[in-house]
Amino acid sequence: MTNIKAFIFDLDGVIVDTARYHFLAWQKLAQELGIEFTHEHNEQLKGVSRVRSLDIILELGGVQASQEEKDKWLIQKNEDYLSYLVNIDESEILPGVLPVLHYLKNKNQLIALGSASKNARPILEKTGVMPLFDAIVDGNDVSNAKPDPEVFLQAAKKLNATNENSIVFEDSVAGIQAANTANMVSIGIGDATTLHEAKHLFKDFTFIDEAFLDTLIN
Ligand code: BG6
Ligand code: MG
């Protein structure tokens, strides 16, 4: 029997270079609120929902706010974020990602998205990779954000795959923890110090070769 595995990809910072736009939009808001917000702080926000991200920033600055204010800031952050995305196209796809997606597709493997973002679908459309996905689970589908494994569990279920046969690509600490909790194979994309809990680690997708993908498939 042919081996078929479920390959689940995070979106922001894994498929597309949008993590930097999230950072810019949060940093703009933090500045307006007089809160210092660095790249190091930003690691805590990666993979985390929009609502939780705002709470983390407010906690960093020791700022108390009403629900009304928070709702206004969440809308403002998303509008700023979307303004960076207006003109994005396939050039936003991170190096090495397309060859990996196409290799897996040619090997008849299953491919899903497992993202916390509520903006995932338009990003996949604009960058032209939507047709490569067999299933999509995003921030509109889940009630529990990473590090809760819900997003990946839903993705595996949609692909009719067991957790043990599922492989997750992630750039966030929260996402690696979610994959590990679900007993899936976690593959960190990024920095070894930040993502030390990942089962396998690559600086970016250009370091992932076909031989490695074959070991995951078999
Ligand atoms: C995750 C990002 O993929 O999605 C987070 O890593 C982001 O930074 C989260 O906050 C929610 O995204 P959005 O697009 O719904 O605000
Ligand atoms: Mg990410």
Side-chain angles (χ1 to χ4, degrees), residues 1-7 103-104 107-110 164-167 185 187 199-200 209-218:
M1 206 186 86
T2 349
N3 282 317
I4 299 184
K5 297 282 166 64
F7 289 84
Y103 185 78
L104 295 173
K107 291 272 173 176
N108 297 315
Q109 300 302 302
L110 296 167
E164 289 71 23
N165 281 333
S166 300
I167 295 126
V185 178
I187 303 186
K199 174 103 196 285
H200 305 278
D209 60 18
E210 293 179 357
F212 176 70
L213 294 174
D214 286 341
T215 62
L216 294 173
I217 295 169
N218 295 305

Side-chain angles (χ1 to χ4, degrees), residues 75-212:
I75 292 170
Q76 186 186 325
K77 184 269 170 179
N78 198 48
E79 282 174 355
D80 286 333
Y81 175 63
L82 290 178
S83 75
Y84 298 126
L85 301 184
V86 173
N87 293 319
I88 63 160
D89 56 22
E90 65 276 5
S91 63
E92 210 68 38
I93 297 175
L94 284 159
V97 171
L98 282 178
V100 168
L101 285 172
H102 286 297
Y103 185 78
L104 295 173
K105 204 79 202 158
N106 287 335
K107 291 272 173 176
N108 297 315
Q109 300 302 302
L110 296 167
I111 300 177
L113 188 85
S115 166
S117 174
K118 295 188 172 180
N119 297 302
R121 284 171 185 272
I123 293 173
L124 292 178
E125 294 281 6
K126 280 175 176 229
T127 53
V129 289
M130 185 68 112
L132 294 170
F133 286 84
D134 301 297
I136 290 173
V137 183
D138 67 19
N140 300 296
D141 303 308
V142 293
S143 14
N144 302 300
K146 300 168 190 175
D148 188 287
E150 185 184 357
V151 65
F152 298 141
L153 295 175
Q154 277 198 34
K157 199 171 170 198
K158 279 196 179 187
L159 297 177
N160 281 322
T162 61
N163 296 357
E164 289 71 23
N165 281 333
S166 300
I167 295 126
V168 172
F169 295 94
E170 257 294 345
D171 71 320
S172 72
V173 177
I176 293 294
Q177 289 170 344
N180 289 344
T181 302
N183 281 323
M184 297 177 176
V185 178
S186 58
I187 303 186
I189 303 294
D191 172 66
T193 332
T194 319
L195 302 178
H196 59 91
E197 291 171 68
K199 174 103 196 285
H200 305 278
L201 186 95
F202 296 94
K203 198 162 161 286
D204 63 49
F205 276 85
T206 62
F207 291 89
I208 300 183
D209 60 18
E210 293 179 357
F212 176 70

